[in-house]
Amino acid sequence: MCNSILIKLCKLLILISNYLIMKQTISCLRAPGILFLLLLFSISVFGQTITVKGTVKDATNATLPGVNVRMHGSSTGTITDIDGKFSLQVPSNAKLEFSFVGYASQVINVAGKSTINVTLAEDTKALSEVVVVGYGTQRREAVTGSVASMNGDKLRDVPAANISRALQGRIAGVEMSQTDSKPGSGMQIRIRGTRSLNATNDPLVVLDGIPFSGSIGDIDPNTIKSVDILKDASATAIYGSRGANGVILVTTSKGSKGQSAQFSYNGYFGVKTAIKFPMMNGSEFAAMRKMTTYANTLDEADDVNTDWQDLLFRTGVVQNHNLNLSGGTDKGNYNFGASYFRDQAVIPLQYYNRYSIHSSLDQEVGKLIKVGFTTNSIYSENHGNNLGSGGALGASPIANPYNADGTWKTIIQQQTSGSQWVFTRHALESLGEQYVDLTRGFSSYNSAYGEVKIPGVEGLKARVNVGADYIQSNYGNYTGVGVFSGSVTNPSTASIRNSHTLKWTVENLLTFDRTFNKLHRVNAVAMYSAEKSTYWTSNTTAKNIPADAFQFYNIGQCNSADITINPANQNYIESGLTSAMGRVMYSFNDRYMLSATVRTDGSSRLAPGHKWHTYPAISAGWNMKDEAFMQSVTFIDRLKLRAGYGETSNQSVDPYKTLGLLATSPYNFGDNTYATGYYVSQLPNPKLGWEFSRTWNFGMDFTLLKSRLTGTVEYYVQNTDNVLLSVSLPPTSGANSYMANIGATQNKGLEVSLNGVVLDNVNGWTWEVGLNVYTNKNKLTKLASGAQQDLGNGWFVGHAVNVIYDYKKLGLWNTTDPDFKYLQTLQPGGNAGMIKVLYTGEYNADGSPKRAIGPDDRQILDCDPDFQGGFNTRVAYKNFDLSLVGSFVSGGILNSTLYGGTGYLNNMNTRATNNVKVDYWTPTNTGAKYPKPAGLQSGDNPMYATTLGYFSASYLKVRTITLGYNFNQKWLQSAGISKMRIYATVENPFVLFSPYHNESGMDPEPNSFGDQNVAVAGAHSRLIVGTNTPSTHNYLIGLNVTF
Amino acid sequence: MKRIHIKTCVGAALMSLFLVGCSDLLNETPRSSFTPEYFKTQPGVMGGLTYMYSHLRGIYGQAYYYNSCETGTDESTYGQSADGNFKDFDLTGVGSMTSNNFPMTVLWNATFPNINTANGVIEYGTTSGVSDALLSEARFFRAFDYFLLVQTFGGVPLDLGAGELKFNTSTSRVSKRNTVPEVYTKAIFPDMLLAIKNLPDAGRVTGGATKTLARLYLAKAYLTYGWWLQNPKNIPTYPTCDRTDPDGHNAAWYFQKAYDYAVEGIQNAGGNFALQSTFYDVNVGTNDRNKEILLYADHTQTSELYNGGTSLTGFGSGAAPDNFAGWMQNWSYTAITSSKTNWSSPSLVSSVQREAAQALGRPWTRMAPPINVINNTFADKSNDSRYDGTFTTVYRGNWAKGGVTNATLYNANGMQVANGDAILSFLGSEPAQPIDYSNSVYKSSIGAGVLPGRADFVLPPSGISRRVFPGLWKLGPYRTDNGVGLGSPNAGSTRPYNIAKFSELFFIAAEAAVKGATTKAITGTYANDGSAYSLINILRARAGKWKFSNANNATLVADNSATLVAATPTTITLDYILAERSREYYGEGYRWYDLVRTQTWADYAKTYQICGNNYGDHTPVTYTRTIPDNYYLRPIPQGQLDGLEMTADEKKAYQNPAYQQ
């Protein structure tokens, strides 16, 4: 009941956006009292020879207190008082420098004058650096937490469909990993590493102030004004538990006040070519087959050489078009835009289309009230997502796809796998109505606010934010008779899946923002909020569809026996969160800053009695350069030190984890009597509570050499306790797992970002360089009951969460090895040319090993990189600019299942599929990296085949190179064009220093989760290289025009 | 007007503040799945019981577990396409037995969740008043699983974390193995006795647990425990314990009980269970779920969902809950070729194509029958119908179903064959004339030979290799939706996997008698004097009855009962029972347990003969297996050890001695 009223209420609130609500809200708020924090700082004053006095004012003739007045080239100085007045003793020939945050500095010769009055002009560049910090903005100088920002234009230097792709490698401490190479797919985002083992590590995305329930990929990069990333706990504390993994604040463009209407077009068009997987050609495969016991099928011949990848991949096309209109009046502003994005993959029939519109409006009503809304609606189509490269990679290169008469075969015989559908571009494109695999998504993200200034209390505002999101996804699949099957009569199948997410958020805020005496800035926020998210999904499958034309549109036409509604595929999830928060930010003279936050959260996901948690955060900043003693250090323009401590919590377990779960197990009693069985798959945990982290963050921001070099260095330590884990149980407990608060993790890291201007308009040349490097050391510090390791889950105290526990490959066994005589002891049934792994057992007196190699010999292999980062550079000459964005990773393990045991593409026995092209052992090639074909096996793979998939993850990669030209010719203005730019971009042009790339020619980034695009699924959380849609080289041209 | 508007808005705002605080927001109501509390209801108990049956699919028909019951015994060795899972179990030095061997994980991981669900059903069901008959199904399956475990691993834990035989909802990660006598006397025997008392004579559902089924298992458990107490070959047990019975009985007492319950099972089956009139009828797909079958892991072609989830028409998953055991000892017969044209300029075509038929099915060539099986176990191939009812010995042309339009093809000796004719035959014995293996003119493509005057290619027993061997007809697929084509041969078998048969009651009684049980006259349908000789002869007489010949693919009515009975030795020995068991249950997953129970594994499986991996390998090679005494217990799976929160020493002690490192 509570539910339906709330939903109605939400709708009502969105519709109303009426100032009366705001008035009412204030009186109802149960906000904590607003705190005023006052700090006293001693101000030292120095004097000499003559006394100079004066007043500093701004352009509006208002006096400016707190302005630095300093003798140029010395540490002598003072600051202006409350009335903007100063008095200073200096040599009569001195120069005085006046500087104040947000204003352009001025240097004035004293030249014996005893009175100097100064008017400081606003520094528009400095003022524009406003950072979004959540429930408010702050000027960059005043920020005390760890906040990284990127404005929309910079972001769009990398033309990408997805914000996270555009950000990849560009912000220190923010790791964006590719999880899928298909069009329209998202990225895995990790801010300062992994802290949770089973709970989510995904950051919170906040769109225009409201927590965003969609995927970050739903946000059109064209609409973005800025992205601000809150990295440490003192910055994220205001978002409480939801911000435990960092917060990405996305602000969309709005018109500015009083701005005349502006119309712009941004677009690009490009082609993509596949980076092929390194498979064997016909003769290579035939040669390997000779070393095995497998014979050719009737469709295979040693002299055939079919490149199935060439027969499959096409040239992909990507395009993006965006129209935007923005403007402002003296009391408001607006922004409307529409975008179209299409990404056509190199795999035929696979594409992603996105249509989006957005609008936002802010309007002041009278003197006290302001209302506004933002709405983003997206419709997307994702087709052919179930297609991959696997069919082409696995196909036998000595199988001929053509009949004797030159026509295409539809089926070929392969070795052990038998008849196979011929998976080619021709075959896919000929399917017509026989195949569809389409997800149509519609999502609408809406937020509205009303804000009222409380009369009588200057700076006090009440605000209500209401967010309401609706996301729906409609999936339909149809596969006609015989399609993708080795049997031409294989029945047709269809399935539909519908899922819906409904989410509402209500936030009541009181803010107090005021500067006292121009020196004391106070910003206080109190908030009370509630949110609820409901997700439900349904799924139906059927076979023997009566006609191709029906596809999945009327499954009801099938025989009822052919229709399946699997209870395991229907789902309903609901969760609620309610919170109260208070934050005070205080700054004295923009020199000393302090921010304190307290938040309490209650979550439905946790067990009764453990639902609530309260946590504090505090941080301080010191703009050191403003101190008198720093004045003489002239090469430093700005220097700020920051320190913060904060706690955050994580409740991100799936709902209902405290209750235990019965899994379903359908069964038939006789041929057609059906029943559903239930068994305990997950045990209840009535004690499931919050996981929480304590973070220390230390940062330094600096600007050097007349703003030619700016940078940030940060160090953090984050300790996470009561880590939420899905604990695998030994089978004898009768259940698979349970969710619990067990263990502790630690993340320590160092982040450095540097931006330099090497050439600042020297003969028309400008050259800028940016670099970020970061490292995160992740460590498990505690496991359940003091255990040092948990082999079932692959967790080891003192090691990173992301480790592989496997044998360590030393090389291959050769008859010349001194220990070859022990091969049969170490490896019963072993052969020369098989993989040799580390033996850690004991030896007998005669030097022989005491036992065979076994599970105890497995080693912990750390997968995390040592450090990583990104770089960018931009060279401009007159109207031309050339920019380059790249990223790098050093160390760590890349797991390529093409080479390892789970992909079935490196079986080394030619049993069915083609083999990755590898240098393998033969009696005459004993120094090879890969084992002897058809040697000792474990399963279908060479013994220890998994070790073949581990590569160094190091790489340096140029992501994009863009050459642009900005028009500023006269004719533009006469055509009403205020800005126009054309550019050409190459994406993914080259890779350096990557052992994996060097061997395979492939992209050194993962393209799949561990349980995807492989023959044998591994752990989902481990990213791998699998048989996904191949990476591509992209070539784009683009145009930006503003009228 | 304006006033009303204002009031509405004020009201809405007030409500929002009130409702946001509504405590409902933090409460949870699952709407799409059940919690363990559901077992407190009658429908919950029924759901739990359904799981007891469906969990059988995790074990029976699961080919890797199946492999562990056959490969390494006298019945099977690894085939040419065998992966490590199969070679490890052959014990001929091509692999090794370790805790990482996947097949044992199958059994371990399938049984304990079911035992715990049974614990829950029994515990919750008792308090909420569910009938004893229903709860006894849970008791049966709990005992059934423990019996499997104790035979395979030795002693296993009765306490899953909440006390012995208690429903575990705790999250304990420690475990202690009970001893073998504890598992039998605390779990298996009491549960089976209650099951016999409370179960119905006819199953509650098709394939449901019955008194007869429980009698079979109790008899078999008594027999097995009797052997264990007696321990004639001094095979070690684990965890270490004295071979004394906590209930104070001796081996003889248990042999007697085994005999008594088996006889009770034979005499009291009523109309519910009976021997089929021919051996063919027991195993032919058209007659699945017949009255001889006491328990099976059921499957169906009528519903993908209820069959367990993977495609019924595409490629089966090669994992439980699919029934894919039949793929393993099936060779790649599709490699056999005939010619569309005269052999002077041949145009090769696959004349036996992959078909969803009981004689064919999906070939994985993972296991193969040693030559000894063909020559010794099934020495009598003409009177005894069981050779013909076990193997596919003749491969017949089906190219028309695969879309090849030629009415006839050229085969051996240039003779023309039609669809349905024999393309390849495995001979029952060595022919007098030499076989031409040259394949120089008549290309079988599989190294088969030619005998003068025969249109079919041939292979004698001595030509059986790891690559080309008679397929296992018993477990082949049977479907009714093939139409005129080849059907869906790559899906998991939609036939039920047979687990327990009425016929085994005769074997158990006979074995108990051989072990010294006092026999008594049996009354009713199978009336006889109750001696081992008479009991065995009931099955041998049935084996002499023919109604159909698979080799001929034609009706063959014959009654050779008298001949077979006449050939039965008057003194039945254990060896004779084991030989008969192999003839009756060849390739069904009984063998390892039979040899381990009777402590004869090392003797029976010591050597075997088979030809090599390649086409054209026709020279039998003798292989020798190494089977130490402590291999009579299988390794505890590594996943169990890894999942335990115990010290390294404790974990080591948890493992069976042969696999402790």
Side-chain angles (χ1 to χ4, degrees), chain A residues 2 28 293 665 668 671 674 939, chain B residues 17 22 54 57 83 300 302 467:
Chain A
C2 201
C28 301
T293 60
S665 180
N668 59 292
D671 202 33
Y674 309 130
Chain B
L17 289 163
C22 175
S54 73
R57 288 177 179 165
D83 60 38
T300 180
T302 61
R467 184 162 214 167

Side-chain angles (χ1 to χ4, degrees), chain B residues 380 383-384 533 537-546 558-569 576:
Chain B
D380 178 353
N383 298 309
D384 192 330
Y533 175 83
N537 267 337
I538 288 174
L539 297 176
R540 284 185 57 79
R542 195 266 301 267
K545 294 200 167 117
W546 294 68
D559 186 351
N560 306 323
S561 301
T563 318
L564 283 174
V565 169
T568 309
Y576 196 76

